[in-house]
Amino acid sequence: MNAAELTGTYTYRSFLNRQEMVEDFNKLRFAELELRLATDQTGAISGELVFPGSSDSEPLAMDIVGRVSASSPLAFTVTGKGRTGTPIADFHYEYDGFVLRRWESGVNQRMTLAGTVLRAKDHGSGGTLARAGQTASFLAVKRDG
């Protein structure tokens, strides 16, 4: 696999790393977003992580930058930061991931990225303060075309 194959649009989901069993799977939800990635021949990654929004407004997004490593399986590290002048301008997250194995006998498999995410900086304030240090696991499933 080469870095260029990471280019595309993904359905991104992250989950809190809770050790106890939960009756409601939504108790594990950290985020569900759209991840758009592009890579170049040097292994640089750019893109955006887009938050769902209303159909009549521009959705919020974090800009993504990072690198692909030359490892096997293919691994990557990216940083996501909220755009200046938006309600998420103070968002800063770090992502470390890799491409999951493609099974030779698998049926209806999709390219899937997996890894961990770290909230690198506090954001929000008062009752909506989200403290730095929160971690979660993520999966990002590549979409068609």
Side-chain angles (χ1 to χ4, degrees), residues 22-76:
V22 295
E23 302 239 347
D24 179 0
F25 198 72
N26 284 314
K27 291 182 178 180
L28 300 177
R29 178 191 297 246
F30 193 58
E32 185 171 44
L33 310 167
E34 180 176 275
L35 176 62
R36 301 171 186 161
L37 295 179
T39 56
D40 69 17
Q41 65 275 10
T42 70
I45 299 173
S46 61
E48 57 186 358
L49 195 57
V50 181
F51 290 68
S54 63
S55 59
D56 61 341
S57 67
E58 182 71 23
L60 297 174
M62 291 193 311
D63 291 317
I64 299 290
V65 295
R67 289 215 62 71
V68 176
S69 73
S71 64
S72 181
L74 198 63
F76 59 92

Short mmCIF file of all heavy atoms in Angstrom, two decimals, residues 22-76:
data_model
loop_
_atom_site.label_atom_id
_atom_site.label_comp_id
_atom_site.label_asym_id
_atom_site.label_seq_id
_atom_site.Cartn_x
_atom_site.Cartn_y
_atom_site.Cartn_z
N VAL A 22 -21.50 -1.13 28.57
CA VAL A 22 -22.56 -0.12 28.55
C VAL A 22 -23.80 -0.69 27.89
O VAL A 22 -23.70 -1.47 26.94
CB VAL A 22 -22.11 1.18 27.83
CG1 VAL A 22 -20.98 1.85 28.58
CG2 VAL A 22 -21.70 0.91 26.40
N GLU A 23 -24.94 -0.33 28.40
CA GLU A 23 -26.20 -0.81 27.81
C GLU A 23 -26.55 -0.02 26.55
O GLU A 23 -27.19 -0.53 25.65
CB GLU A 23 -27.33 -0.67 28.84
CG GLU A 23 -27.04 -1.42 30.11
CD GLU A 23 -28.08 -2.47 30.42
OE1 GLU A 23 -29.14 -2.46 29.79
OE2 GLU A 23 -27.81 -3.29 31.29
N ASP A 24 -26.12 1.23 26.52
CA ASP A 24 -26.41 2.10 25.39
C ASP A 24 -25.10 2.46 24.70
O ASP A 24 -24.26 3.17 25.26
CB ASP A 24 -27.12 3.36 25.89
CG ASP A 24 -27.45 4.35 24.79
OD1 ASP A 24 -27.14 4.09 23.61
OD2 ASP A 24 -28.02 5.41 25.11
N PHE A 25 -24.91 1.98 23.48
CA PHE A 25 -23.66 2.19 22.75
C PHE A 25 -23.35 3.68 22.58
O PHE A 25 -22.19 4.08 22.49
CB PHE A 25 -23.74 1.50 21.39
CG PHE A 25 -22.41 1.28 20.74
CD1 PHE A 25 -21.53 0.34 21.22
CD2 PHE A 25 -22.04 2.03 19.64
CE1 PHE A 25 -20.29 0.14 20.63
CE2 PHE A 25 -20.80 1.84 19.04
CZ PHE A 25 -19.94 0.89 19.53
N ASN A 26 -24.38 4.53 22.59
CA ASN A 26 -24.16 5.98 22.47
C ASN A 26 -23.37 6.56 23.63
O ASN A 26 -22.82 7.66 23.52
CB ASN A 26 -25.49 6.71 22.32
CG ASN A 26 -26.06 6.54 20.93
OD1 ASN A 26 -25.35 6.69 19.95
ND2 ASN A 26 -27.33 6.21 20.85
N LYS A 27 -23.30 5.85 24.75
CA LYS A 27 -22.49 6.31 25.88
C LYS A 27 -21.00 6.28 25.57
O LYS A 27 -20.21 6.83 26.31
CB LYS A 27 -22.79 5.49 27.13
CG LYS A 27 -24.19 5.73 27.68
CD LYS A 27 -24.41 4.93 28.93
CE LYS A 27 -25.81 5.22 29.50
NZ LYS A 27 -26.06 4.45 30.72
N LEU A 28 -20.64 5.63 24.49
CA LEU A 28 -19.24 5.58 24.05
C LEU A 28 -18.92 6.64 23.01
O LEU A 28 -17.76 6.87 22.70
CB LEU A 28 -18.93 4.20 23.46
CG LEU A 28 -19.12 3.01 24.38
CD1 LEU A 28 -18.84 1.72 23.63
CD2 LEU A 28 -18.25 3.13 25.61
N ARG A 29 -19.93 7.29 22.47
CA ARG A 29 -19.74 8.23 21.36
C ARG A 29 -18.91 9.44 21.81
O ARG A 29 -19.18 10.08 22.79
CB ARG A 29 -21.08 8.73 20.85
CG ARG A 29 -20.96 9.77 19.73
CD ARG A 29 -22.27 10.42 19.44
NE ARG A 29 -23.23 9.45 18.95
CZ ARG A 29 -23.72 9.46 17.73
NH1 ARG A 29 -23.39 10.38 16.88
NH2 ARG A 29 -24.57 8.54 17.35
N PHE A 30 -17.88 9.73 21.01
CA PHE A 30 -17.09 10.94 21.19
C PHE A 30 -17.39 11.90 20.05
O PHE A 30 -17.65 13.06 20.27
CB PHE A 30 -15.60 10.58 21.26
CG PHE A 30 -14.70 11.68 21.74
CD1 PHE A 30 -14.87 12.27 22.98
CD2 PHE A 30 -13.66 12.12 20.95
CE1 PHE A 30 -14.03 13.28 23.42
CE2 PHE A 30 -12.81 13.13 21.38
CZ PHE A 30 -13.00 13.70 22.62
N ALA A 31 -17.38 11.37 18.80
CA ALA A 31 -17.69 12.21 17.64
C ALA A 31 -18.05 11.34 16.44
O ALA A 31 -17.59 10.20 16.34
CB ALA A 31 -16.50 13.10 17.29
N GLU A 32 -18.84 11.90 15.54
CA GLU A 32 -19.11 11.29 14.24
C GLU A 32 -19.05 12.42 13.22
O GLU A 32 -19.86 13.35 13.26
CB GLU A 32 -20.46 10.59 14.21
CG GLU A 32 -20.70 9.85 12.91
CD GLU A 32 -21.93 8.97 12.94
OE1 GLU A 32 -22.97 9.42 13.43
OE2 GLU A 32 -21.82 7.83 12.46
N LEU A 33 -18.06 12.36 12.32
CA LEU A 33 -17.76 13.45 11.41
C LEU A 33 -17.40 12.92 10.04
O LEU A 33 -17.37 11.71 9.82
CB LEU A 33 -16.57 14.27 11.97
CG LEU A 33 -16.68 14.71 13.43
CD1 LEU A 33 -15.35 15.21 13.95
CD2 LEU A 33 -17.73 15.78 13.58
N GLU A 34 -17.10 13.83 9.12
CA GLU A 34 -16.60 13.46 7.80
C GLU A 34 -15.14 13.88 7.72
O GLU A 34 -14.80 15.03 7.98
CB GLU A 34 -17.41 14.17 6.71
CG GLU A 34 -16.94 13.82 5.32
CD GLU A 34 -17.82 14.45 4.26
OE1 GLU A 34 -18.86 13.85 3.93
OE2 GLU A 34 -17.46 15.54 3.78
N LEU A 35 -14.28 12.94 7.37
CA LEU A 35 -12.84 13.18 7.24
C LEU A 35 -12.48 13.18 5.76
O LEU A 35 -12.78 12.23 5.04
CB LEU A 35 -12.07 12.09 7.98
CG LEU A 35 -10.55 12.13 7.88
CD1 LEU A 35 -9.98 13.41 8.49
CD2 LEU A 35 -9.95 10.89 8.55
N ARG A 36 -11.84 14.27 5.32
CA ARG A 36 -11.39 14.39 3.92
C ARG A 36 -9.88 14.51 3.94
O ARG A 36 -9.34 15.44 4.54
CB ARG A 36 -12.02 15.62 3.27
CG ARG A 36 -13.53 15.59 3.27
CD ARG A 36 -14.11 16.91 2.82
NE ARG A 36 -15.56 16.92 2.95
CZ ARG A 36 -16.28 18.01 2.97
NH1 ARG A 36 -15.71 19.21 2.85
NH2 ARG A 36 -17.60 17.94 3.10
N LEU A 37 -9.20 13.57 3.28
CA LEU A 37 -7.74 13.55 3.27
C LEU A 37 -7.19 13.61 1.86
O LEU A 37 -7.78 13.06 0.93
CB LEU A 37 -7.22 12.26 3.92
CG LEU A 37 -7.50 12.05 5.40
CD1 LEU A 37 -6.93 10.70 5.84
CD2 LEU A 37 -6.94 13.18 6.23
N ALA A 38 -6.03 14.24 1.75
CA ALA A 38 -5.25 14.25 0.51
C ALA A 38 -3.80 14.03 0.89
O ALA A 38 -3.33 14.57 1.90
CB ALA A 38 -5.43 15.57 -0.24
N THR A 39 -3.10 13.25 0.11
CA THR A 39 -1.67 13.02 0.34
C THR A 39 -0.90 13.42 -0.91
O THR A 39 -1.44 13.43 -2.01
CB THR A 39 -1.39 11.53 0.66
OG1 THR A 39 -1.89 10.73 -0.41
CG2 THR A 39 -2.05 11.12 1.96
N ASP A 40 0.37 13.75 -0.71
CA ASP A 40 1.21 14.04 -1.88
C ASP A 40 2.34 13.02 -1.96
O ASP A 40 2.45 12.13 -1.09
CB ASP A 40 1.70 15.49 -1.87
CG ASP A 40 2.72 15.79 -0.78
OD1 ASP A 40 3.31 14.85 -0.21
OD2 ASP A 40 2.94 16.98 -0.50
N GLN A 41 3.18 13.14 -2.96
CA GLN A 41 4.24 12.16 -3.19
C GLN A 41 5.30 12.13 -2.09
O GLN A 41 6.03 11.15 -1.98
CB GLN A 41 4.89 12.38 -4.57
CG GLN A 41 5.64 13.67 -4.73
CD GLN A 41 4.75 14.84 -5.12
OE1 GLN A 41 3.53 14.76 -5.11
NE2 GLN A 41 5.38 15.95 -5.45
N THR A 42 5.37 13.17 -1.26
CA THR A 42 6.35 13.18 -0.17
C THR A 42 5.80 12.55 1.11
O THR A 42 6.52 12.42 2.09
CB THR A 42 6.79 14.63 0.16
OG1 THR A 42 5.69 15.32 0.78
CG2 THR A 42 7.27 15.37 -1.07
N GLY A 43 4.51 12.18 1.12
CA GLY A 43 3.90 11.61 2.33
C GLY A 43 3.22 12.64 3.21
O GLY A 43 2.75 12.31 4.29
N ALA A 44 3.15 13.89 2.75
CA ALA A 44 2.44 14.92 3.51
C ALA A 44 0.94 14.70 3.38
O ALA A 44 0.45 14.32 2.32
CB ALA A 44 2.81 16.32 3.01
N ILE A 45 0.22 14.92 4.48
CA ILE A 45 -1.24 14.79 4.51
C ILE A 45 -1.83 16.17 4.76
O ILE A 45 -1.34 16.92 5.61
CB ILE A 45 -1.70 13.86 5.64
CG1 ILE A 45 -1.13 12.45 5.45
CG2 ILE A 45 -3.22 13.80 5.72
CD1 ILE A 45 -1.41 11.53 6.63
N SER A 46 -2.90 16.48 4.05
CA SER A 46 -3.69 17.68 4.34
C SER A 46 -5.16 17.28 4.23
O SER A 46 -5.49 16.23 3.69
CB SER A 46 -3.37 18.80 3.36
OG SER A 46 -3.68 18.40 2.03
N GLY A 47 -6.02 18.12 4.76
CA GLY A 47 -7.44 17.82 4.66
C GLY A 47 -8.26 18.56 5.68
O GLY A 47 -7.83 19.59 6.21
N GLU A 48 -9.44 18.02 5.97
CA GLU A 48 -10.32 18.64 6.94
C GLU A 48 -11.21 17.59 7.58
O GLU A 48 -11.51 16.56 6.98
CB GLU A 48 -11.16 19.74 6.30
CG GLU A 48 -12.01 19.29 5.13
CD GLU A 48 -12.71 20.45 4.43
OE1 GLU A 48 -12.60 21.61 4.85
OE2 GLU A 48 -13.40 20.16 3.44
N LEU A 49 -11.58 17.87 8.82
CA LEU A 49 -12.53 17.06 9.57
C LEU A 49 -13.77 17.92 9.73
O LEU A 49 -13.73 18.95 10.40
CB LEU A 49 -11.92 16.68 10.92
CG LEU A 49 -12.58 15.57 11.71
CD1 LEU A 49 -12.66 14.28 10.92
CD2 LEU A 49 -11.82 15.32 13.00
N VAL A 50 -14.85 17.52 9.06
CA VAL A 50 -16.03 18.36 8.91
C VAL A 50 -17.13 17.91 9.88
O VAL A 50 -17.50 16.73 9.90
CB VAL A 50 -16.56 18.31 7.46
CG1 VAL A 50 -17.77 19.20 7.30
CG2 VAL A 50 -15.45 18.70 6.49
N PHE A 51 -17.63 18.86 10.66
CA PHE A 51 -18.72 18.61 11.60
C PHE A 51 -20.05 18.68 10.86
O PHE A 51 -20.21 19.52 9.97
CB PHE A 51 -18.70 19.65 12.72
CG PHE A 51 -17.54 19.50 13.66
CD1 PHE A 51 -16.24 19.76 13.25
CD2 PHE A 51 -17.75 19.12 14.97
CE1 PHE A 51 -15.17 19.62 14.11
CE2 PHE A 51 -16.69 18.98 15.85
CZ PHE A 51 -15.39 19.22 15.41
N PRO A 52 -21.01 17.83 11.23
CA PRO A 52 -22.32 17.92 10.57
C PRO A 52 -22.95 19.28 10.84
O PRO A 52 -22.83 19.83 11.93
CB PRO A 52 -23.14 16.80 11.21
CG PRO A 52 -22.30 16.18 12.26
CD PRO A 52 -20.97 16.85 12.28
N GLY A 53 -23.60 19.83 9.84
CA GLY A 53 -24.24 21.14 10.00
C GLY A 53 -25.57 21.17 9.31
O GLY A 53 -25.97 20.23 8.63
N SER A 54 -26.25 22.27 9.48
CA SER A 54 -27.54 22.42 8.80
C SER A 54 -27.29 22.63 7.32
O SER A 54 -26.23 23.10 6.90
CB SER A 54 -28.32 23.59 9.40
OG SER A 54 -27.63 24.79 9.18
N SER A 55 -28.29 22.31 6.51
CA SER A 55 -28.13 22.39 5.06
C SER A 55 -28.02 23.82 4.54
O SER A 55 -27.59 24.03 3.42
CB SER A 55 -29.30 21.68 4.38
OG SER A 55 -30.51 22.30 4.77
N ASP A 56 -28.38 24.81 5.36
CA ASP A 56 -28.35 26.20 4.91
C ASP A 56 -27.15 26.99 5.43
O ASP A 56 -27.09 28.19 5.30
CB ASP A 56 -29.64 26.92 5.29
CG ASP A 56 -29.87 26.96 6.80
OD1 ASP A 56 -29.24 26.16 7.52
OD2 ASP A 56 -30.66 27.80 7.25
N SER A 57 -26.17 26.29 6.04
CA SER A 57 -25.00 27.00 6.55
C SER A 57 -23.72 26.24 6.21
O SER A 57 -23.75 25.04 5.94
CB SER A 57 -25.10 27.18 8.06
OG SER A 57 -25.01 25.93 8.71
N GLU A 58 -22.63 26.94 6.24
CA GLU A 58 -21.32 26.34 6.01
C GLU A 58 -20.96 25.50 7.24
O GLU A 58 -20.97 25.99 8.36
CB GLU A 58 -20.28 27.44 5.81
CG GLU A 58 -18.89 26.95 5.52
CD GLU A 58 -18.75 26.34 4.15
OE1 GLU A 58 -19.55 26.65 3.25
OE2 GLU A 58 -17.82 25.53 3.96
N PRO A 59 -20.66 24.21 7.07
CA PRO A 59 -20.34 23.38 8.23
C PRO A 59 -19.00 23.80 8.86
O PRO A 59 -18.12 24.32 8.17
CB PRO A 59 -20.26 21.97 7.67
CG PRO A 59 -20.06 22.13 6.20
CD PRO A 59 -20.62 23.47 5.82
N LEU A 60 -18.89 23.54 10.16
CA LEU A 60 -17.64 23.80 10.86
C LEU A 60 -16.63 22.73 10.48
O LEU A 60 -17.01 21.58 10.22
CB LEU A 60 -17.88 23.77 12.37
CG LEU A 60 -18.82 24.84 12.91
CD1 LEU A 60 -19.09 24.61 14.39
CD2 LEU A 60 -18.25 26.23 12.67
N ALA A 61 -15.35 23.10 10.47
CA ALA A 61 -14.32 22.12 10.11
C ALA A 61 -13.02 22.44 10.83
O ALA A 61 -12.73 23.59 11.14
CB ALA A 61 -14.10 22.12 8.60
N MET A 62 -12.25 21.38 11.07
CA MET A 62 -10.88 21.51 11.55
C MET A 62 -9.97 21.21 10.37
O MET A 62 -10.23 20.29 9.60
CB MET A 62 -10.59 20.52 12.68
CG MET A 62 -11.33 20.82 13.96
SD MET A 62 -10.72 19.90 15.40
CE MET A 62 -10.64 18.23 14.84
N ASP A 63 -8.91 21.99 10.23
CA ASP A 63 -7.91 21.73 9.21
C ASP A 63 -6.97 20.64 9.70
O ASP A 63 -6.55 20.64 10.87
CB ASP A 63 -7.13 23.01 8.89
CG ASP A 63 -8.00 24.02 8.17
OD1 ASP A 63 -8.76 23.63 7.26
OD2 ASP A 63 -7.94 25.21 8.52
N ILE A 64 -6.65 19.71 8.82
CA ILE A 64 -5.81 18.56 9.14
C ILE A 64 -4.49 18.67 8.40
O ILE A 64 -4.47 18.94 7.19
CB ILE A 64 -6.51 17.25 8.70
CG1 ILE A 64 -7.85 17.06 9.43
CG2 ILE A 64 -5.60 16.04 8.87
CD1 ILE A 64 -7.75 16.75 10.89
N VAL A 65 -3.38 18.48 9.10
CA VAL A 65 -2.05 18.40 8.49
C VAL A 65 -1.26 17.30 9.19
O VAL A 65 -1.45 17.05 10.37
CB VAL A 65 -1.26 19.74 8.57
CG1 VAL A 65 -1.93 20.82 7.75
CG2 VAL A 65 -1.06 20.18 9.99
N GLY A 66 -0.40 16.63 8.43
CA GLY A 66 0.40 15.58 9.04
C GLY A 66 1.27 14.86 8.03
O GLY A 66 1.54 15.38 6.94
N ARG A 67 1.67 13.64 8.42
CA ARG A 67 2.58 12.84 7.60
C ARG A 67 2.21 11.37 7.66
O ARG A 67 1.73 10.88 8.68
CB ARG A 67 4.02 12.95 8.12
CG ARG A 67 4.63 14.30 7.87
CD ARG A 67 6.10 14.28 7.57
NE ARG A 67 6.61 13.60 6.41
CZ ARG A 67 6.47 13.99 5.15
NH1 ARG A 67 5.73 15.02 4.84
NH2 ARG A 67 7.06 13.34 4.18
N VAL A 68 2.52 10.69 6.57
CA VAL A 68 2.43 9.24 6.50
C VAL A 68 3.83 8.70 6.75
O VAL A 68 4.81 9.24 6.24
CB VAL A 68 1.95 8.80 5.10
CG1 VAL A 68 1.94 7.28 4.99
CG2 VAL A 68 0.59 9.37 4.79
N SER A 69 3.93 7.62 7.54
CA SER A 69 5.24 6.99 7.75
C SER A 69 5.42 5.88 6.72
O SER A 69 4.46 5.44 6.09
CB SER A 69 5.34 6.43 9.16
OG SER A 69 4.55 5.27 9.28
N ALA A 70 6.62 5.41 6.59
CA ALA A 70 6.92 4.36 5.62
C ALA A 70 6.84 2.98 6.27
O ALA A 70 7.55 2.06 5.89
CB ALA A 70 8.31 4.59 5.03
N SER A 71 5.96 2.83 7.24
CA SER A 71 5.87 1.57 7.96
C SER A 71 4.88 0.62 7.29
O SER A 71 4.17 0.97 6.37
CB SER A 71 5.43 1.84 9.40
OG SER A 71 4.13 2.38 9.41
N SER A 72 4.86 -0.60 7.79
CA SER A 72 3.86 -1.57 7.36
C SER A 72 3.26 -2.18 8.61
O SER A 72 4.00 -2.76 9.40
CB SER A 72 4.51 -2.64 6.49
OG SER A 72 3.53 -3.56 6.07
N PRO A 73 1.98 -2.01 8.87
CA PRO A 73 1.02 -1.34 8.00
C PRO A 73 1.29 0.16 7.93
O PRO A 73 1.95 0.72 8.80
CB PRO A 73 -0.33 -1.62 8.66
CG PRO A 73 -0.02 -1.80 10.10
CD PRO A 73 1.35 -2.43 10.14
N LEU A 74 0.74 0.79 6.89
CA LEU A 74 0.89 2.21 6.68
C LEU A 74 0.37 2.97 7.90
O LEU A 74 -0.75 2.74 8.33
CB LEU A 74 0.12 2.62 5.43
CG LEU A 74 0.47 3.95 4.79
CD1 LEU A 74 1.91 3.94 4.30
CD2 LEU A 74 -0.46 4.22 3.63
N ALA A 75 1.17 3.85 8.46
CA ALA A 75 0.79 4.61 9.65
C ALA A 75 0.84 6.10 9.34
O ALA A 75 1.48 6.53 8.38
CB ALA A 75 1.74 4.28 10.81
N PHE A 76 0.16 6.89 10.17
CA PHE A 76 0.12 8.33 9.96
C PHE A 76 -0.05 9.04 11.30
O PHE A 76 -0.56 8.47 12.26
CB PHE A 76 -1.01 8.72 9.00
CG PHE A 76 -2.37 8.32 9.48
CD1 PHE A 76 -3.15 9.18 10.24
CD2 PHE A 76 -2.88 7.06 9.18
CE1 PHE A 76 -4.38 8.79 10.71
CE2 PHE A 76 -4.12 6.67 9.64
CZ PHE A 76 -4.89 7.53 10.41
#
